mmCIF file of all heavy atoms in Angstrom:
data_model
loop_
_atom_site.group_PDB
_atom_site.id
_atom_site.type_symbol
_atom_site.label_atom_id
_atom_site.label_comp_id
_atom_site.label_asym_id
_atom_site.label_seq_id
_atom_site.Cartn_x
_atom_site.Cartn_y
_atom_site.Cartn_z
ATOM 1 N N ILE A 203 179.932 142.640 34.181
ATOM 2 C CA ILE A 203 179.016 141.836 33.362
ATOM 3 C C ILE A 203 177.698 141.631 34.098
ATOM 4 O O ILE A 203 176.608 141.781 33.524
ATOM 5 C CB ILE A 203 179.659 140.488 33.006
ATOM 6 C CG1 ILE A 203 180.876 140.715 32.101
ATOM 7 C CG2 ILE A 203 178.654 139.571 32.331
ATOM 8 C CD1 ILE A 203 181.647 139.452 31.795
ATOM 9 N N CYS A 204 177.768 141.311 35.387
ATOM 10 C CA CYS A 204 176.548 141.101 36.166
ATOM 11 C C CYS A 204 175.766 142.404 36.328
ATOM 12 O O CYS A 204 174.532 142.417 36.233
ATOM 13 C CB CYS A 204 176.882 140.524 37.535
ATOM 14 S SG CYS A 204 177.502 138.816 37.496
ATOM 15 N N ALA A 205 176.487 143.499 36.568
ATOM 16 C CA ALA A 205 175.828 144.782 36.788
ATOM 17 C C ALA A 205 175.053 145.229 35.549
ATOM 18 O O ALA A 205 173.902 145.669 35.644
ATOM 19 C CB ALA A 205 176.857 145.843 37.183
ATOM 20 N N ILE A 206 175.684 145.117 34.389
ATOM 21 C CA ILE A 206 175.007 145.501 33.152
ATOM 22 C C ILE A 206 173.889 144.517 32.833
ATOM 23 O O ILE A 206 172.797 144.907 32.388
ATOM 24 C CB ILE A 206 176.020 145.581 31.995
ATOM 25 C CG1 ILE A 206 176.977 146.755 32.237
ATOM 26 C CG2 ILE A 206 175.304 145.735 30.652
ATOM 27 C CD1 ILE A 206 178.040 146.910 31.191
ATOM 28 N N GLY A 207 174.140 143.246 33.074
ATOM 29 C CA GLY A 207 173.120 142.239 32.817
ATOM 30 C C GLY A 207 171.867 142.455 33.644
ATOM 31 O O GLY A 207 170.746 142.239 33.158
ATOM 32 N N GLU A 208 172.026 142.899 34.903
ATOM 33 C CA GLU A 208 170.866 143.148 35.751
ATOM 34 C C GLU A 208 169.969 144.222 35.151
ATOM 35 O O GLU A 208 168.737 144.087 35.135
ATOM 36 C CB GLU A 208 171.336 143.581 37.149
ATOM 37 C CG GLU A 208 171.968 142.468 37.965
ATOM 38 C CD GLU A 208 172.602 142.982 39.250
ATOM 39 O OE1 GLU A 208 172.518 144.210 39.490
ATOM 40 O OE2 GLU A 208 173.177 142.174 40.000
ATOM 41 N N VAL A 209 170.575 145.289 34.640
ATOM 42 C CA VAL A 209 169.787 146.382 34.053
ATOM 43 C C VAL A 209 169.144 145.941 32.742
ATOM 44 O O VAL A 209 167.951 146.167 32.509
ATOM 45 C CB VAL A 209 170.675 147.624 33.824
ATOM 46 C CG1 VAL A 209 169.874 148.735 33.151
ATOM 47 C CG2 VAL A 209 171.257 148.113 35.136
ATOM 48 N N VAL A 210 169.928 145.312 31.886
ATOM 49 C CA VAL A 210 169.418 144.907 30.568
ATOM 50 C C VAL A 210 168.284 143.896 30.711
ATOM 51 O O VAL A 210 167.274 143.963 29.991
ATOM 52 C CB VAL A 210 170.558 144.334 29.705
ATOM 53 C CG1 VAL A 210 170.001 143.724 28.416
ATOM 54 C CG2 VAL A 210 171.570 145.428 29.376
ATOM 55 N N ASP A 211 168.406 142.965 31.643
ATOM 56 C CA ASP A 211 167.356 141.960 31.828
ATOM 57 C C ASP A 211 166.031 142.608 32.227
ATOM 58 O O ASP A 211 164.954 142.217 31.748
ATOM 59 C CB ASP A 211 167.773 140.945 32.887
ATOM 60 C CG ASP A 211 168.850 139.994 32.399
ATOM 61 O OD1 ASP A 211 169.060 139.933 31.174
ATOM 62 O OD2 ASP A 211 169.486 139.326 33.231
ATOM 63 N N VAL A 212 166.104 143.600 33.118
ATOM 64 C CA VAL A 212 164.880 144.286 33.542
ATOM 65 C C VAL A 212 164.288 145.097 32.395
ATOM 66 O O VAL A 212 163.078 145.047 32.130
ATOM 67 C CB VAL A 212 165.171 145.200 34.753
ATOM 68 C CG1 VAL A 212 163.966 146.082 35.057
ATOM 69 C CG2 VAL A 212 165.524 144.366 35.975
ATOM 70 N N MET A 213 165.146 145.833 31.679
ATOM 71 C CA MET A 213 164.643 146.685 30.603
ATOM 72 C C MET A 213 164.166 145.872 29.408
ATOM 73 O O MET A 213 163.316 146.322 28.637
ATOM 74 C CB MET A 213 165.735 147.674 30.171
ATOM 75 C CG MET A 213 166.244 148.564 31.298
ATOM 76 S SD MET A 213 164.920 149.366 32.253
ATOM 77 C CE MET A 213 164.211 150.428 31.025
ATOM 78 N N ARG A 214 164.699 144.668 29.247
ATOM 79 C CA ARG A 214 164.245 143.812 28.138
ATOM 80 C C ARG A 214 162.769 143.454 28.297
ATOM 81 O O ARG A 214 162.038 143.330 27.310
ATOM 82 C CB ARG A 214 165.105 142.556 28.058
ATOM 83 C CG ARG A 214 164.737 141.664 26.867
ATOM 84 C CD ARG A 214 165.687 140.490 26.725
ATOM 85 N NE ARG A 214 166.968 140.893 26.147
ATOM 86 C CZ ARG A 214 168.126 140.806 26.774
ATOM 87 N NH1 ARG A 214 168.178 140.328 28.010
ATOM 88 N NH2 ARG A 214 169.243 141.185 26.172
ATOM 89 N N ILE A 215 162.335 143.296 29.534
ATOM 90 C CA ILE A 215 160.917 143.013 29.784
ATOM 91 C C ILE A 215 160.054 144.162 29.280
ATOM 92 O O ILE A 215 159.019 143.960 28.632
ATOM 93 C CB ILE A 215 160.677 142.772 31.287
ATOM 94 C CG1 ILE A 215 161.448 141.527 31.747
ATOM 95 C CG2 ILE A 215 159.189 142.622 31.586
ATOM 96 C CD1 ILE A 215 161.389 141.298 33.249
ATOM 97 N N LEU A 216 160.473 145.394 29.552
ATOM 98 C CA LEU A 216 159.724 146.563 29.080
ATOM 99 C C LEU A 216 159.766 146.662 27.554
ATOM 100 O O LEU A 216 158.768 147.026 26.923
ATOM 101 C CB LEU A 216 160.293 147.837 29.709
ATOM 102 C CG LEU A 216 160.271 147.918 31.235
ATOM 103 C CD1 LEU A 216 160.856 149.239 31.704
ATOM 104 C CD2 LEU A 216 158.856 147.748 31.764
ATOM 105 N N ALA A 217 160.919 146.342 26.973
ATOM 106 C CA ALA A 217 161.046 146.420 25.520
ATOM 107 C C ALA A 217 160.141 145.399 24.836
ATOM 108 O O ALA A 217 159.488 145.693 23.816
ATOM 109 C CB ALA A 217 162.499 146.203 25.106
ATOM 110 N N GLU A 218 160.071 144.206 25.399
ATOM 111 C CA GLU A 218 159.259 143.155 24.781
ATOM 112 C C GLU A 218 157.777 143.485 24.817
ATOM 113 O O GLU A 218 157.012 143.024 23.967
ATOM 114 C CB GLU A 218 159.526 141.823 25.485
ATOM 115 C CG GLU A 218 160.912 141.259 25.179
ATOM 116 C CD GLU A 218 161.225 140.004 25.980
ATOM 117 O OE1 GLU A 218 160.448 139.695 26.925
ATOM 118 O OE2 GLU A 218 162.234 139.341 25.671
ATOM 119 N N ARG A 219 157.344 144.295 25.775
ATOM 120 C CA ARG A 219 155.948 144.711 25.818
ATOM 121 C C ARG A 219 155.582 145.574 24.612
ATOM 122 O O ARG A 219 154.403 145.671 24.247
ATOM 123 C CB ARG A 219 155.675 145.486 27.111
ATOM 124 C CG ARG A 219 155.743 144.624 28.367
ATOM 125 C CD ARG A 219 155.546 145.463 29.615
ATOM 126 N NE ARG A 219 155.677 144.652 30.825
ATOM 127 C CZ ARG A 219 155.678 145.153 32.064
ATOM 128 N NH1 ARG A 219 155.539 146.464 32.233
ATOM 129 N NH2 ARG A 219 155.804 144.353 33.105
ATOM 130 N N LYS A 220 156.584 146.212 24.000
ATOM 131 C CA LYS A 220 156.346 147.014 22.797
ATOM 132 C C LYS A 220 156.849 146.299 21.537
ATOM 133 O O LYS A 220 156.978 146.920 20.487
ATOM 134 C CB LYS A 220 157.058 148.368 22.934
ATOM 135 C CG LYS A 220 156.548 149.227 24.075
ATOM 136 C CD LYS A 220 157.251 150.574 24.114
ATOM 137 C CE LYS A 220 156.942 151.410 22.886
ATOM 138 N NZ LYS A 220 157.516 152.775 22.985
ATOM 139 N N ASP A 221 157.144 145.005 21.685
ATOM 140 C CA ASP A 221 157.666 144.211 20.569
ATOM 141 C C ASP A 221 158.976 144.777 20.031
ATOM 142 O O ASP A 221 159.248 144.740 18.824
ATOM 143 C CB ASP A 221 156.638 144.117 19.431
ATOM 144 C CG ASP A 221 155.413 143.320 19.842
ATOM 145 O OD1 ASP A 221 155.579 142.355 20.612
ATOM 146 O OD2 ASP A 221 154.301 143.669 19.404
ATOM 147 N N LEU A 222 159.802 145.286 20.929
ATOM 148 C CA LEU A 222 161.120 145.799 20.568
ATOM 149 C C LEU A 222 162.187 144.774 20.935
ATOM 150 O O LEU A 222 162.072 144.086 21.941
ATOM 151 C CB LEU A 222 161.417 147.117 21.291
ATOM 152 C CG LEU A 222 160.473 148.293 21.032
ATOM 153 C CD1 LEU A 222 160.814 149.462 21.945
ATOM 154 C CD2 LEU A 222 160.529 148.729 19.570
ATOM 155 N N GLU A 223 163.219 144.701 20.123
ATOM 156 C CA GLU A 223 164.354 143.822 20.423
ATOM 157 C C GLU A 223 165.422 144.624 21.152
ATOM 158 O O GLU A 223 165.828 145.694 20.696
ATOM 159 C CB GLU A 223 164.936 143.241 19.139
ATOM 160 C CG GLU A 223 166.116 142.295 19.387
ATOM 161 C CD GLU A 223 166.773 141.827 18.107
ATOM 162 O OE1 GLU A 223 166.396 142.340 17.029
ATOM 163 O OE2 GLU A 223 167.675 140.978 18.188
ATOM 164 N N LEU A 224 165.872 144.102 22.282
ATOM 165 C CA LEU A 224 166.938 144.746 23.056
ATOM 166 C C LEU A 224 168.146 143.822 23.080
ATOM 167 O O LEU A 224 168.088 142.724 23.611
ATOM 168 C CB LEU A 224 166.460 145.046 24.475
ATOM 169 C CG LEU A 224 167.506 145.640 25.442
ATOM 170 C CD1 LEU A 224 168.130 146.898 24.864
ATOM 171 C CD2 LEU A 224 166.873 145.918 26.801
ATOM 172 N N ARG A 225 169.244 144.288 22.467
ATOM 173 C CA ARG A 225 170.464 143.483 22.385
ATOM 174 C C ARG A 225 171.567 144.148 23.206
ATOM 175 O O ARG A 225 171.597 145.360 23.378
ATOM 176 C CB ARG A 225 170.931 143.357 20.931
ATOM 177 C CG ARG A 225 169.884 142.796 19.975
ATOM 178 C CD ARG A 225 170.491 142.567 18.591
ATOM 179 N NE ARG A 225 171.082 143.772 18.048
ATOM 180 C CZ ARG A 225 170.400 144.656 17.309
ATOM 181 N NH1 ARG A 225 169.114 144.453 17.057
ATOM 182 N NH2 ARG A 225 171.003 145.722 16.832
ATOM 183 N N CYS A 226 172.486 143.320 23.668
ATOM 184 C CA CYS A 226 173.633 143.828 24.412
ATOM 185 C C CYS A 226 174.870 143.043 24.009
ATOM 186 O O CYS A 226 174.853 141.806 24.000
ATOM 187 C CB CYS A 226 173.394 143.710 25.916
ATOM 188 S SG CYS A 226 174.763 144.337 26.931
ATOM 189 N N SER A 227 175.925 143.738 23.670
ATOM 190 C CA SER A 227 177.186 143.097 23.282
ATOM 191 C C SER A 227 178.336 143.704 24.067
ATOM 192 O O SER A 227 178.396 144.920 24.272
ATOM 193 C CB SER A 227 177.435 143.259 21.778
ATOM 194 O OG SER A 227 177.561 144.621 21.431
ATOM 195 N N LEU A 228 179.244 142.837 24.535
ATOM 196 C CA LEU A 228 180.424 143.280 25.270
ATOM 197 C C LEU A 228 181.667 142.902 24.494
ATOM 198 O O LEU A 228 181.838 141.746 24.097
ATOM 199 C CB LEU A 228 180.477 142.642 26.663
ATOM 200 C CG LEU A 228 179.544 143.227 27.722
ATOM 201 C CD1 LEU A 228 178.139 142.650 27.569
ATOM 202 C CD2 LEU A 228 180.079 142.953 29.126
ATOM 203 N N ASP A 229 182.528 143.866 24.289
ATOM 204 C CA ASP A 229 183.787 143.611 23.600
ATOM 205 C C ASP A 229 184.675 142.722 24.459
ATOM 206 O O ASP A 229 184.614 142.759 25.697
ATOM 207 C CB ASP A 229 184.495 144.935 23.306
ATOM 208 C CG ASP A 229 185.622 144.769 22.308
ATOM 209 O OD1 ASP A 229 186.743 144.487 22.759
ATOM 210 O OD2 ASP A 229 185.379 144.904 21.104
ATOM 211 N N SER A 230 185.489 141.930 23.809
ATOM 212 C CA SER A 230 186.342 140.973 24.528
ATOM 213 C C SER A 230 187.378 141.651 25.413
ATOM 214 O O SER A 230 187.910 141.037 26.341
ATOM 215 C CB SER A 230 187.048 140.049 23.529
ATOM 216 O OG SER A 230 187.845 140.804 22.627
ATOM 217 N N ASN A 231 187.687 142.925 25.154
ATOM 218 C CA ASN A 231 188.700 143.613 25.959
ATOM 219 C C ASN A 231 188.121 144.252 27.218
ATOM 220 O O ASN A 231 188.848 144.858 28.003
ATOM 221 C CB ASN A 231 189.400 144.686 25.126
ATOM 222 C CG ASN A 231 188.466 145.854 24.789
ATOM 223 O OD1 ASN A 231 187.253 145.705 24.860
ATOM 224 N ND2 ASN A 231 189.030 146.985 24.412
ATOM 225 N N VAL A 232 186.814 144.111 27.430
ATOM 226 C CA VAL A 232 186.188 144.719 28.597
ATOM 227 C C VAL A 232 186.428 143.843 29.825
ATOM 228 O O VAL A 232 186.085 142.661 29.822
ATOM 229 C CB VAL A 232 184.675 144.891 28.376
ATOM 230 C CG1 VAL A 232 184.011 145.444 29.636
ATOM 231 C CG2 VAL A 232 184.404 145.818 27.200
ATOM 232 N N PRO A 233 187.015 144.371 30.901
ATOM 233 C CA PRO A 233 187.256 143.566 32.101
ATOM 234 C C PRO A 233 185.953 143.314 32.844
ATOM 235 O O PRO A 233 185.018 144.118 32.769
ATOM 236 C CB PRO A 233 188.204 144.440 32.927
ATOM 237 C CG PRO A 233 187.868 145.839 32.518
ATOM 238 C CD PRO A 233 187.505 145.761 31.054
ATOM 239 N N ASP A 234 185.903 142.193 33.559
ATOM 240 C CA ASP A 234 184.700 141.897 34.340
ATOM 241 C C ASP A 234 184.791 142.516 35.735
ATOM 242 O O ASP A 234 183.954 143.315 36.126
ATOM 243 C CB ASP A 234 184.494 140.382 34.433
ATOM 244 C CG ASP A 234 183.258 140.035 35.259
ATOM 245 O OD1 ASP A 234 182.315 140.859 35.264
ATOM 246 O OD2 ASP A 234 183.235 138.961 35.882
ATOM 247 N N GLN A 235 185.815 142.175 36.491
ATOM 248 C CA GLN A 235 185.975 142.696 37.844
ATOM 249 C C GLN A 235 186.598 144.088 37.787
ATOM 250 O O GLN A 235 187.746 144.252 37.387
ATOM 251 C CB GLN A 235 186.842 141.757 38.678
ATOM 252 C CG GLN A 235 186.228 140.383 38.901
ATOM 253 C CD GLN A 235 184.954 140.451 39.736
ATOM 254 O OE1 GLN A 235 184.841 141.277 40.640
ATOM 255 N NE2 GLN A 235 184.002 139.580 39.433
ATOM 256 N N ILE A 236 185.825 145.107 38.183
ATOM 257 C CA ILE A 236 186.316 146.483 38.115
ATOM 258 C C ILE A 236 186.019 147.201 39.424
ATOM 259 O O ILE A 236 185.245 146.723 40.260
ATOM 260 C CB ILE A 236 185.668 147.266 36.948
ATOM 261 C CG1 ILE A 236 184.159 147.436 37.218
ATOM 262 C CG2 ILE A 236 185.907 146.562 35.614
ATOM 263 C CD1 ILE A 236 183.476 148.381 36.247
ATOM 264 N N VAL A 237 186.650 148.360 39.589
ATOM 265 C CA VAL A 237 186.352 149.263 40.702
ATOM 266 C C VAL A 237 185.784 150.545 40.111
ATOM 267 O O VAL A 237 186.442 151.208 39.311
ATOM 268 C CB VAL A 237 187.608 149.575 41.536
ATOM 269 C CG1 VAL A 237 187.280 150.607 42.610
ATOM 270 C CG2 VAL A 237 188.159 148.313 42.176
ATOM 271 N N ALA A 238 184.558 150.867 40.466
ATOM 272 C CA ALA A 238 183.887 152.062 39.968
ATOM 273 C C ALA A 238 182.653 152.299 40.822
ATOM 274 O O ALA A 238 182.406 151.590 41.805
ATOM 275 C CB ALA A 238 183.518 151.895 38.488
ATOM 276 N N ASP A 239 181.881 153.326 40.469
ATOM 277 C CA ASP A 239 180.623 153.589 41.163
ATOM 278 C C ASP A 239 179.526 152.804 40.445
ATOM 279 O O ASP A 239 179.013 153.221 39.406
ATOM 280 C CB ASP A 239 180.308 155.088 41.150
ATOM 281 C CG ASP A 239 179.195 155.448 42.122
ATOM 282 O OD1 ASP A 239 178.241 154.647 42.230
ATOM 283 O OD2 ASP A 239 179.263 156.511 42.752
ATOM 284 N N LYS A 240 179.176 151.666 41.007
ATOM 285 C CA LYS A 240 178.192 150.786 40.377
ATOM 286 C C LYS A 240 176.847 151.474 40.220
ATOM 287 O O LYS A 240 176.175 151.323 39.186
ATOM 288 C CB LYS A 240 178.037 149.504 41.205
ATOM 289 C CG LYS A 240 177.031 148.509 40.656
ATOM 290 C CD LYS A 240 176.924 147.288 41.558
ATOM 291 C CE LYS A 240 175.878 146.303 41.069
ATOM 292 N NZ LYS A 240 175.768 145.120 41.959
ATOM 293 N N ASP A 241 176.430 152.237 41.229
ATOM 294 C CA ASP A 241 175.128 152.896 41.166
ATOM 295 C C ASP A 241 175.052 153.879 40.007
ATOM 296 O O ASP A 241 174.006 154.009 39.356
ATOM 297 C CB ASP A 241 174.837 153.623 42.482
ATOM 298 C CG ASP A 241 174.578 152.654 43.634
ATOM 299 O OD1 ASP A 241 174.252 151.483 43.350
ATOM 300 O OD2 ASP A 241 174.716 153.062 44.797
ATOM 301 N N VAL A 242 176.152 154.579 39.744
ATOM 302 C CA VAL A 242 176.164 155.530 38.637
ATOM 303 C C VAL A 242 176.027 154.801 37.310
ATOM 304 O O VAL A 242 175.211 155.170 36.446
ATOM 305 C CB VAL A 242 177.451 156.380 38.652
ATOM 306 C CG1 VAL A 242 177.603 157.163 37.346
ATOM 307 C CG2 VAL A 242 177.425 157.347 39.824
ATOM 308 N N ILE A 243 176.813 153.753 37.109
ATOM 309 C CA ILE A 243 176.782 153.020 35.844
ATOM 310 C C ILE A 243 175.402 152.414 35.610
ATOM 311 O O ILE A 243 174.806 152.564 34.537
ATOM 312 C CB ILE A 243 177.871 151.932 35.830
ATOM 313 C CG1 ILE A 243 179.264 152.583 35.826
ATOM 314 C CG2 ILE A 243 177.712 151.027 34.611
ATOM 315 C CD1 ILE A 243 180.402 151.597 35.937
ATOM 316 N N GLN A 244 174.863 151.735 36.627
ATOM 317 C CA GLN A 244 173.552 151.119 36.460
ATOM 318 C C GLN A 244 172.444 152.163 36.330
ATOM 319 O O GLN A 244 171.539 152.022 35.494
ATOM 320 C CB GLN A 244 173.254 150.198 37.644
ATOM 321 C CG GLN A 244 174.053 148.907 37.645
ATOM 322 C CD GLN A 244 173.543 147.922 38.684
ATOM 323 O OE1 GLN A 244 173.296 148.286 39.826
ATOM 324 N NE2 GLN A 244 173.393 146.664 38.279
ATOM 325 N N GLY A 245 172.526 153.212 37.122
ATOM 326 C CA GLY A 245 171.485 154.228 37.084
ATOM 327 C C GLY A 245 171.424 154.955 35.759
ATOM 328 O O GLY A 245 170.346 155.191 35.204
ATOM 329 N N VAL A 246 172.579 155.323 35.226
ATOM 330 C CA VAL A 246 172.633 156.031 33.947
ATOM 331 C C VAL A 246 172.161 155.122 32.812
ATOM 332 O O VAL A 246 171.380 155.528 31.950
ATOM 333 C CB VAL A 246 174.056 156.549 33.686
ATOM 334 C CG1 VAL A 246 174.215 156.997 32.240
ATOM 335 C CG2 VAL A 246 174.386 157.698 34.632
ATOM 336 N N LEU A 247 172.633 153.880 32.804
ATOM 337 C CA LEU A 247 172.209 152.949 31.763
ATOM 338 C C LEU A 247 170.703 152.721 31.825
ATOM 339 O O LEU A 247 170.019 152.684 30.794
ATOM 340 C CB LEU A 247 172.955 151.616 31.927
ATOM 341 C CG LEU A 247 172.605 150.519 30.917
ATOM 342 C CD1 LEU A 247 172.877 150.979 29.489
ATOM 343 C CD2 LEU A 247 173.372 149.239 31.221
ATOM 344 N N HIS A 248 170.167 152.581 33.024
ATOM 345 C CA HIS A 248 168.725 152.387 33.190
ATOM 346 C C HIS A 248 167.956 153.577 32.624
ATOM 347 O O HIS A 248 166.956 153.411 31.903
ATOM 348 C CB HIS A 248 168.405 152.186 34.668
ATOM 349 C CG HIS A 248 166.969 151.867 34.959
ATOM 350 N ND1 HIS A 248 165.991 152.834 35.000
ATOM 351 C CD2 HIS A 248 166.343 150.683 35.206
ATOM 352 C CE1 HIS A 248 164.822 152.269 35.260
ATOM 353 N NE2 HIS A 248 165.014 150.970 35.389
ATOM 354 N N ARG A 249 168.408 154.784 32.933
ATOM 355 C CA ARG A 249 167.730 155.986 32.451
ATOM 356 C C ARG A 249 167.715 156.064 30.932
ATOM 357 O O ARG A 249 166.683 156.358 30.312
ATOM 358 C CB ARG A 249 168.433 157.223 33.010
ATOM 359 C CG ARG A 249 168.257 157.415 34.483
ATOM 360 C CD ARG A 249 166.928 158.060 34.779
ATOM 361 N NE ARG A 249 166.744 158.236 36.209
ATOM 362 C CZ ARG A 249 165.738 158.914 36.725
ATOM 363 N NH1 ARG A 249 164.846 159.456 35.932
ATOM 364 N NH2 ARG A 249 165.609 159.025 38.022
#
């Protein structure tokens, strides 16, 4: 949740400069504490 939130918060600033709405929704079945490559998830989402 924190990892995705960090990316979305930064990109929301860019979206608002173009008057775009950026929304993010997480399904209730998504776990918060996970083991994965954080850099890959954040980097790909950012791109």
Side-chain angles (χ1 to χ4, degrees):
I203 295 175
C204 291
I206 292 178
E208 289 171 1
V209 177
V210 172
D211 287 345
V212 171
M213 302 311 295
R214 184 174 284 117
I215 297 174
L216 300 180
E218 289 175 349
R219 292 177 183 173
K220 297 183 65 174
D221 293 325
L222 300 173
E223 181 186 7
L224 176 55
R225 304 186 304 271
C226 181
S227 62
L228 283 82
D229 194 271
S230 59
N231 69 341
V232 176
D234 179 29
Q235 296 295 325
I236 66 171
V237 175
D239 193 322
K240 180 181 177 181
D241 290 340
V242 168
I243 293 175
Q244 287 191 314
V246 167
L247 179 59
H248 185 280
R249 290 279 179 172

